[in-house]
Amino acid sequence: MRVKKACSFTLVLMLSISLLAACSPVNLSESAQVKGEQSNSLGGKLVEIRFPWWGNVVRHEKYNKLMDMFEAKNPNIKVIREPGSWEDYWKKISVQTIGGNAPDVLMFTTVGQMPEYEDKGALLPLDKYIENGSIDVSGIPEKVIELGKYKGRTYMITKGLAALSYTVNLSLLSQKGAPLPKNEYASWGEFIDYLKLIKPKLGKNEWGKEIYPLADMASDDLYMESFMRLKGKDMFSDDGRELGFSKQDLVEWFTLWQDLKKLGIVPPAKITAEEGTLQWEQDMLASKRIVMSARPGNHIKSIMKYMSDELTLIRLPGDNGKFGEVLTGAFLGISAQSKHPDDVAKLINMWMTDLEFNKLYEHEHGIVQNENVVKGIQLDPGDQLSLKNMKEVMSTTKPQKSRLPGVASIFDQVKKSYDEVNFGEKSIEKAADDIFTEANRVLRKQK
């Protein structure tokens, strides 16, 4: 699944300090204060706010149009646009925040970046803007607002949301004469029975390579979190001092995937390592190496642009009516260093409430959550599937808790340990021990 994770703020902090030390002496905080206000053509004060974002060229073009529209409706505000790649975004805002030159607008996802920044005092709470109506969330479900809270305060609000789900190639299944999947499976056992049923029918793709029913994503932390939530457990304990699941739970998770590999349901380790991290245009779903893979539901719209096959979304397996899928998306927050937080709030509010703005936005980062706005937008087929799936998930699961700051190395260890298991270099039990050792080191160090 192509769900990328940001680097730990703490780790980047160390790198950033060395980078700043190597630069020519300059008072970045002072520089930031000088910038930000000019005179506009009407003779008034023209306020500048900086907005970085991640994405490709297509997204950059769309966001530039969005900012043009915002400026047209707010002629006293000029948005300084700072587009970049996913990797560059996180490096840049970390260095700038440490240097006292943070952008005014900050974007996050649900995998733990926001708590990292809040713990460093780098974010403003949004509660006062919500309470006075500057940021109108009246059309947004309370469950969704909860995703942006940390330590009882709201620090980010989503501008697009999706649920973790399976993207399924229906055309490939039909072509091979295999039965199509159900939308929901009552248990992992029932889901695996379906995968075992279709495996013998799949054969090879047009390039003569074996087709597998499912991608091996045992080391994906969102997928693992969904499994633990299915068991009624969270990723971390309430006091934040340890993982919220047991070592046996982790052994069960890794064992499940190793059993699927033995059955030929997921690819061997070598194929997963070589083909599992390719870009969407070349990944195992696009090359018909697999029938389905788990990823955020909003990805289906982009995948449909380069695959002519009929695709759909189905839910992750449940447990006799219980489900555990996590929600993911893109969120907006305000830097504590911003000299113009009220103006940033206007931009966030436009994303929350403005129909014309969101028609241009086209659910770029997932489904917009203001139900009144969504009703006024014509959804494309991919967004229709994503919206349906997300509503099903939200009706049966509670929002996941915020990730703790400084935990990126735990999930790095999960990936490293599972790779060692997958290639036969380490037992599942020893891998679980290593992960819990790293988790204990990180979590207890922070207290």
Side-chain angles (χ1 to χ4, degrees), residues 6 35 75 79 82 116 120-121 143 250 254 289 325 342 349 359 362 379 409 426 428 436:
K35 294 173 64 177
V79 181
E82 300 178 359
E116 294 270 7
K120 303 298 180 185
K143 279 187 177 183
L250 184 56
F254 280 179
R289 207 55 155 116
E325 300 105 319
D342 293 352
N349 187 60
K359 282 182 177 179
E362 296 180 306
L379 298 178
S409 66
K426 187 171 289 185
I428 291 176
F436 270 76

Side-chain angles (χ1 to χ4, degrees), residues 416-434:
K416 179 178 182 293
S417 293
Y418 182 72
D419 285 345
E420 291 171 334
V421 169
N422 213 17
F423 281 97
E425 299 169 358
K426 187 171 289 185
S427 71
I428 291 176
E429 288 74 17
K430 181 61 171 66
D433 285 340
D434 290 348

Side-chain angles (χ1 to χ4, degrees), residues 151-374:
K151 296 180 179 178
R153 289 182 164 185
T154 307
Y155 287 98
M156 64 180 188
I157 300 178
T158 188
K159 59 189 178 68
L161 200 65
L164 194 64
S165 57
Y166 291 122
T167 299
V168 184
N169 189 331
L170 297 178
S171 295
L172 181 57
L173 287 168
S174 296
Q175 176 190 338
K176 296 294 184 177
L180 302 183
K182 299 192 303 184
N183 181 55
E184 294 181 4
Y185 287 89
S187 67
W188 265 93
E190 183 187 11
F191 180 56
I192 291 171
D193 285 344
Y194 168 73
L195 299 176
K196 290 163 66 175
L197 177 66
I198 66 172
K199 171 59 183 174
K201 300 179 180 293
L202 298 179
K204 298 181 178 181
N205 63 18
E206 58 189 286
W207 298 281
K209 294 184 177 182
E210 185 175 355
I211 301 172
Y212 299 88
L214 186 64
D216 187 344
M217 305 181 63
S219 62
D220 184 272
D221 57 289
L222 293 180
Y223 206 173
M224 187 172 77
E225 182 172 9
S226 297
F227 178 78
M228 299 305 172
R229 279 162 49 85
L230 184 64
K231 299 165 71 69
K233 301 183 179 183
D234 293 309
M235 289 299 272
F236 303 100
S237 62
D238 290 339
D239 64 7
R241 293 187 60 84
E242 58 188 1
L243 293 174
F245 52 89
S246 70
K247 193 174 298 182
Q248 186 53 43
D249 292 325
L250 184 56
V251 168
E252 180 184 347
W253 176 243
F254 280 179
T255 300
L256 184 155
W257 288 94
Q258 288 300 290
D259 288 346
L260 290 177
K261 185 175 70 171
K262 292 173 185 175
L263 291 169
I265 287 173
V266 301
K270 186 173 185 294
I271 294 175
T272 296
E274 292 176 353
E275 303 177 33
T277 58
L278 297 175
Q279 297 296 308
W280 291 347
E281 296 85 349
Q282 301 172 306
D283 73 5
M284 290 193 285
L285 190 69
S287 65
K288 297 180 176 59
R289 207 55 155 116
I290 55 170
V291 171
M292 66 180 79
S293 65
R295 58 185 81 201
N298 65 301
H299 288 189
I300 195 169
K301 177 169 66 174
S302 297
I303 296 170
M304 284 177 164
K305 292 177 181 177
Y306 59 81
M307 286 185 71
S308 59
D309 304 62
E310 181 184 359
L311 306 176
T312 195
L313 299 176
I314 65 170
R315 299 192 65 173
L316 304 190
D319 182 14
N320 296 314
K322 295 187 299 182
F323 293 90
E325 300 105 319
V326 298
L327 297 167
T328 183
F331 294 70
L332 294 170
I334 303 177
S335 170
Q337 297 176 20
S338 176
K339 300 295 186 288
H340 309 289
D342 293 352
D343 297 292
V344 179
K346 291 178 182 178
L347 176 59
I348 295 176
N349 187 60
M350 193 162 181
W351 234 303
M352 298 302 107
T353 61
D354 191 284
L355 178 58
E356 183 183 0
F357 187 86
N358 279 285
K359 282 182 177 179
L360 179 58
Y361 178 52
E362 296 180 306
H363 305 285
E364 173 71 15
H365 257 127
I367 303 299
V368 173
Q369 289 303 294
N370 186 323
E371 296 171 348
N372 298 321
V373 170
V374 173

Side-chain angles (χ1 to χ4, degrees), residues 58-71:
V58 175
R59 179 172 294 163
H60 300 337
E61 291 174 350
K62 177 174 289 187
Y63 273 40
N64 274 320
K65 292 177 181 177
L66 289 167
M67 294 308 102
D68 289 346
M69 182 182 293
F70 174 74
E71 290 177 348

Side-chain angles (χ1 to χ4, degrees), residues 94-108:
S94 176
V95 172
Q96 291 176 337
T97 299
I98 292 163
N101 189 34
D104 299 88
V105 190
L106 292 171
M107 283 199 347
F108 301 105

